[in-house]
Amino acid sequence: MPNPIAYLMLLSWPFVCLVLFRTQSVERAIVWSILGGYLLLPPLAEFNLPLVPSMDKVSIPNVSVLAILIFATAHKVRLWPEGRIARVLVVLLVFSAIPTVLTNREPILFEVLRDADPILFLVDALPGQSIRDIGSVLIGQMLTVVPFLIARQFLSSETGLREMLLALMAGAIAYSIPSLIEIRFSPQMNVWVYGFFQHSFEQTMRAGGYRPIVFLPHGLWLALFVCTAAMAAAALARVTSRLDRWKAVLWTLYLVAFLLACKSAASIAYGLLLVPIVYFAPRRWMVLLATLFALVAVTYPMLRNLDLVPTDAIVAKVAEVNPHRAQSLGYRFNNEAQLLDRAAEKPAFGWSGWGRSLVRDAEDGEILTIPDGRWIIVFGSFGWLGYIAEFGLLALPLLLLGAYVIRNRKAELSPYIGAVALILGITLMDMLLNATLTPFTWLTAGAVLGYVERLNPRAAPAPRHALRKPPIMGRGVPASRRSIL
């Protein structure tokens, strides 16, 4: 049960965001309002208000940033994407909630039939969706996509891309302090500060020690965050002046060591592969690799639905290297198969929320399957329509950027776009295994889409207000050009 500090933090975050906008450049204020809320606000704690979605560590920063940009700054907010495909996907993502709710109005009953007695005894039920739920789900979908639309306008410039990488690096370095404490003494930060533990404690024990979680939903989330931070540090080290580069390289190595201490095999593998690529590879190669990741992330669920993924062969190969990981992977595949059978009963629009898409015992309603990957959660809840909208919107920026790079082989690219694209690409890949979609993922996707729109000569040029730093709340704020060190 969250303590009063948890709810006080949620209530105070809009004021923290306002201070950031009053004292920092708009790019830095946006990034730290979203990323800071994700890192510092309590998980699971929320305000349940009537007819609107729960207000928590995701929705409160999103609402705060949008409200401040519209009502408390001199910026003219233009959220609508330039491209038709992006516009269609945004509309689908938001309004897919309507057919999903309308096709899930019946309750799901769990009943017991005693011997030959024709009387059914009602044990429990999952309620059906009502017309009133449409508004709540619509608002929830709108709030989800807010970081994407804001980043498309405000973070697609060189300054915005750099601020995102800098925030990842600085945030992970600061986060390493409580994380190292948890690695040594066990994950207790959320208990000490907010009065409760947010997950299963058993899942924090790994390899004879602990993996940290701090204020995030799970240790896997923290490990992926550290992995992307190490990639960001490598990108910044690459463009730092030669005199200071050794310091940036040391920070990169420190974050790699921190990643190893997080004890998450997938994120460690990502980091060991991608950090050297970010530091040494040409930008064009990074963009093409990120595009490949996006293609795999989008097509895998489709192939999985058609039973074209050789899951048994994959598990057997993994077992040759690590039998324990093979057992875990086999369990995931088995869960996916059961959840896909459940989703196949309502393939177009899904089962909606409240756990209706899960496989349960027919008599007592006990949950028999646990969804891990984000894709299977979306597919079960919103069907093909919701899956195409969400994963299409996240992958589209990388596909457009990859197409641009292929068409324009000698195009000059930002020194930061390759790393940002790879961070988005590897997150999409991880979402096949885990539900690691965060507001910062939407920020990176929006920033990449905005960058592609700037490159596309057919798109309208970026408005001046998105490039300059107008006064905020009546005060002039100079652009920050401080060293990354």
Side-chain angles (χ1 to χ4, degrees):
M1 182 69 181
N3 61 21
I5 296 176
Y7 293 105
L8 181 62
M9 281 292 292
L10 292 175
L11 287 173
S12 64
W13 198 252
F15 300 99
V16 173
C17 296
L18 185 59
V19 171
L20 287 171
F21 275 90
R22 286 178 61 90
T23 59
Q24 304 296 322
S25 65
V26 66
E27 295 91 349
R28 182 167 296 181
I30 291 171
V31 171
W32 279 107
S33 294
I34 300 294
L35 181 62
Y38 171 64
L39 295 177
L40 299 178
L41 293 179
L44 304 181
E46 59 187 18
F47 294 105
N48 288 310
L49 304 175
L51 303 181
V52 296
S54 299
M55 303 304 292
D56 55 16
K57 69 181 296 175
V58 173
S59 54
I60 288 177
N62 292 355
V63 171
S64 300
V65 169
L66 181 61
I68 291 171
L69 282 171
I70 294 176
F71 300 111
T73 75
H75 293 281
K76 186 174 182 181
V77 179
R78 298 174 183 242
L79 300 180
W80 201 229
E82 297 286 350
R84 292 181 181 177
I85 298 178
R87 292 178 178 180
V88 169
L89 291 174
V90 169
V91 171
L92 286 180
L93 181 64
V94 174
F95 291 98
S96 62
I98 296 177
T100 295
V101 169
L102 293 179
T103 55
N104 283 279
R105 303 187 65 183
E106 75 287 354
I108 299 175
L109 307 179
F110 306 107
E111 303 166 328
V112 177
L113 179 62
R114 293 188 177 178
D115 299 328
D117 193 336
I119 299 177
L120 294 175
F121 295 87
L122 180 62
V123 177
D124 201 356
L126 289 176
Q129 302 277 280
S130 67
I131 299 296
R132 293 185 306 172
D133 295 318
I134 292 179
S136 176
V137 180
L138 277 177
I139 295 172
Q141 295 292 85
M142 291 177 187
L143 293 181
T144 295
V145 79
V146 161
F148 175 87
L149 299 175
I150 289 175
R152 186 200 67 83
Q153 177 181 352
F154 293 100
L155 299 182
S156 58
S157 65
E158 196 127 318
T159 300
L161 297 173
R162 180 180 179 276
E163 287 295 337
M164 293 177 66
L165 296 176
L166 181 58
L168 278 175
M169 185 186 77
I173 291 172
Y175 227 56
S176 67
I177 298 174
S179 297
L180 292 175
I181 294 174
E182 290 196 338
I183 291 171
R184 176 63 181 85
F185 297 104
S186 82
Q188 296 294 328
M189 283 293 169
N190 207 78
V191 177
W192 294 339
V193 178
Y194 295 129
F196 70 101
F197 192 72
Q198 65 268 48
H199 210 278
S200 169
F201 190 82
E202 293 180 356
Q203 295 192 28
T204 67
M205 295 185 285
R206 180 65 60 87
Y210 300 101
R211 56 183 180 186
I213 184 171
V214 193
F215 306 127
L216 299 188
H218 192 281
L220 296 173
W221 273 247
L222 194 150
L224 182 63
F225 166 64
V226 177
C227 172
T228 58
M231 294 166 62
L236 293 170
R238 183 171 176 171
V239 299
T240 303
S241 64
R242 291 187 178 183
L243 291 177
D244 293 328
R245 186 169 299 173
W246 67 273
K247 299 178 185 178
V249 170
L250 287 178
W251 282 123
T252 304
L253 295 176
Y254 173 78
L255 289 175
V256 171
F258 179 21
L259 175 60
L260 295 175
C262 290
K263 301 184 181 72
S264 290
S267 293
I268 291 174
Y270 303 153
L272 295 180
L273 171 66
L274 296 178
V275 169
I277 290 177
V278 170
Y279 191 78
F280 293 108
R283 300 164 196 167
R284 173 185 168 85
W285 291 10
M286 287 189 275
V287 169
L288 294 178
L289 181 57
T291 305
L292 176 62
F293 287 159
L295 286 172
V296 172
V298 170
T299 57
Y300 170 83
M302 299 179 183
L303 297 175
R304 194 75 173 90
N305 269 277
L306 299 173
D307 200 23
L308 296 178
V309 178
T311 55
D312 293 339
I314 294 173
V315 172
K317 281 293 183 182
V318 174
E320 296 175 3
V321 180
N322 189 327
H324 177 73
R325 300 309 303 166
Q327 182 181 5
S328 175
L329 186 61
Y331 176 78
R332 288 172 182 264
F333 284 150
N334 181 55
N335 270 277
E336 285 181 2
Q338 295 183 64
L339 291 166
L340 282 172
D341 290 340
R342 172 70 172 169
E345 298 177 31
K346 291 192 173 185
F349 308 123
W351 286 93
S352 192
W354 299 340
R356 293 167 56 90
S357 64
L358 303 181
V359 177
R360 296 172 180 264
D361 188 280
E363 292 189 351
D364 58 17
E366 180 183 357
I367 296 175
L368 303 178
T369 56
I370 300 176
D372 289 309
R374 173 68 186 180
W375 73 272
I376 191 64
I377 295 174
V378 174
F379 187 72
S381 299
F382 293 98
W384 277 111
L385 184 63
Y387 161 73
I388 291 172
E390 182 171 298
F391 273 75
L393 198 57
L394 289 168
L396 178 65
L398 294 179
L399 300 179
L400 293 176
L401 182 60
Y404 176 86
V405 168
I406 292 173
R407 291 196 309 266
N408 303 272
R409 295 177 179 271
K410 296 183 179 180
E412 187 68 25
L413 299 175
S414 165
Y416 309 114
I417 190 61
V420 174
L422 263 184
I423 287 170
L424 175 58
I426 200 59
T427 303
L428 285 173
M429 287 287 289
D430 193 70
M431 284 164 55
L432 299 179
L433 300 174
N434 305 298
T436 44
L437 177 62
T438 70
F440 197 85
T441 307
W442 284 111
L443 277 183
T444 57
V448 174
L449 179 63
Y451 182 81
V452 175
E453 290 179 355
R454 288 169 178 263
L455 292 175
N456 187 355
R458 293 174 298 176
R464 291 184 178 181
H465 64 78
L467 304 177
R468 70 178 190 270
K469 307 288 189 302
I472 298 177
M473 294 294 292
R475 298 174 56 179
V477 180
S480 174
R481 297 288 183 183
R482 299 171 186 170
S483 169
I484 67 169
L485 305 175

